[in-house]
Amino acid sequence: AIELHSMPSSFVTAVSEKPRASAVARLQAGQGPRVTNFRHESLRLNDVEGKHLGLLDGARDRGRVIDGLSVAVGPGELSLRRGDQPIADLADQLEQLGRFYDQMLPEFGRKALLAA
């Protein structure tokens, strides 16, 4: 398939130091599992992806996004599990959240969710 556009895209696929998702997608991520990308496609996100996307406001670097995600783990807003067992150790949680960040950011770029 070929996509033709008369204007440059308003999204990027490369991950910056302080990534920013579209304001609409961030708002939608806080309201439910469905978000709209820059291609006007509806995408379904899981809880971790939605919370993650909501933190990508262009003001936070990797460390601050991971800190924001870890705050959500504390009160049970997000659940981290290895197999069927919850991950209780804080260092282990931070390591897992770092892996999620490193995997999800390029995926958000491929899904046209990161703003230029």
Side-chain angles (χ1 to χ4, degrees):
I2 297 175
E3 288 185 29
L4 301 174
H5 301 274
S6 61
M7 297 175 14
S9 298
S10 55
F11 66 91
V12 296
T13 56
V15 178
S16 67
E17 184 179 327
K18 294 181 179 180
R20 181 172 56 95
S22 87
V24 170
R26 289 195 321 264
L27 177 68
Q28 290 172 328
Q31 297 174 342
R34 292 221 162 268
V35 298
T36 304
N37 68 9
F38 281 107
R39 291 183 179 138
H40 306 286
E41 300 166 329
S42 179
L43 305 172
R44 183 176 180 83
L45 303 178
N46 65 35
D47 291 343
V48 176
E49 291 169 328
K51 185 65 176 173
H52 191 156
L53 191 71
L55 294 170
L56 301 180
D57 59 3
R60 294 177 175 97
D61 62 8
R62 181 182 189 273
R64 290 187 59 205
V65 171
I66 292 169
D67 288 345
L69 290 170
S70 71
V71 168
V73 172
E77 193 175 328
L78 287 179
S79 175
L80 297 178
R81 304 180 83 68
R82 181 171 289 113
D84 61 347
Q85 297 296 315
I87 300 173
D89 180 60
L90 180 60
D92 202 6
Q93 288 177 357
L94 292 173
E95 182 181 332
Q96 186 67 31
L97 290 171
R99 279 195 213 117
F100 284 144
Y101 180 92
D102 295 339
Q103 291 171 357
M104 279 191 265
L105 260 289
E107 188 63 25
F108 287 158
R110 284 189 289 280
K111 290 181 178 180
L113 289 166
L114 298 179

